Amino acid sequence: MSVLVNKNSKIIVQGFTGSEGTFHAGQMIDYGTNVVGGVTPGKGGQEHLGKPVFNTVVEAVEKAGADTSIIFVPPAFAADAIMESADAGIKVIICITEGIPTADMVKVKAYIADKDTRLVGPNCPGVITPDEAKVGIMPGFIFKKGKVGIVSKSGTLTYEAADQVVKQGYGITTAIGIGGDPIIGTTTKEAVEMLMNDDETEAIVMIGEIGGNLEAEAAQWIKADGNRKPVVGFIAGQTAPAGRTMGHAGAIVGGADDTAQAKMKILEENGVHVVSSPAKIGEMVANVLK
């Protein structure tokens, strides 16, 4: 069992014929991901990268059986692309686009609340189940199949953690990049919960950052759930000054509980194995799995 995506996922690319969509769809296809086509309004009926192009997501669902979508649509139109996918019955929507206005995401969140779909992102690297499906922009070669799940707000730290875990002799079940925007689809807690309930995942790496309360929420859930599997935690932004946005739009320290130090304390109090440096993630994973 894998989480969110696997070799049977039927994936479409929204924004398929644009430069970003073309580049990353090509990489996904080369990885062996089951890309069944793409969507670019007005270009339906054409072929691109050897796959069919559809005018709408509905058409891609009807003709290609699509159940998963990855979005490379410019920020001004990305919210509409997410809602179009949700309307068409897509089960997993992965939005890579950075810079979607927060007001647009407020609408999206409300719109998809009662739909049978799961949104990952926006402003995220995507999701990868090694050797099965790479639905994102991550360098696939770093990820090897194994038994450690990764949940991360940061793209680069996802790759760093995966590389360390693999070098320790453990691979990855699924890595979920949830994105660093103020309003995202899948929260840290929800992603951790999916991995906790996955039979193949034996340990979880949870990478957070300053700002918001997603990590605290996840840590409290982990403890309430009985600490079934070891969780290794790291919080980025330990030197960030209060009130300053750092990198991600959601990474801004509002109050005392938003700082890296406060989050690390909450994680530790709830039984998470916290490391102070990203360089120690792999080592800690090896320790908890011994």
Side-chain angles (χ1 to χ4, degrees), residues 46 51 97 121 215 262:
Q46 299 179 16
K51 307 286 178 185
T97 309
E215 298 83 1

Side-chain angles (χ1 to χ4, degrees), residues 109-178:
K109 197 88 170 161
Y111 189 81
I112 65 173
D114 59 350
K115 296 204 166 25
D116 180 21
T117 190
R118 171 160 299 283
L119 170 64
V120 178
N123 187 15
C124 77
V127 180
I128 184 168
T129 296
D131 302 339
E132 294 196 36
K134 167 176 123 84
V135 192
I137 60 175
M138 64 287 288
F141 69 92
I142 288 174
F143 296 81
K144 302 283 180 271
K145 205 166 202 41
K147 52 189 179 183
V148 179
I150 299 177
V151 176
S152 176
K153 276 188 184 173
S154 157
T156 44
L157 286 175
T158 308
Y159 321 149
E160 178 61 37
D163 188 47
Q164 287 184 35
V165 169
V166 167
K167 282 177 176 159
Q168 288 285 347
Y170 303 95
I172 309 299
T173 46
T174 297
I176 307 167
I178 63 169

Side-chain angles (χ1 to χ4, degrees), residues 196 219-231 270-271:
M196 272 295 174
Q220 284 150 3
W221 179 86
I222 289 162
K223 187 176 184 180
D225 183 57
N227 298 92
R228 276 186 289 152
K229 296 174 185 177
V231 179
N270 285 283

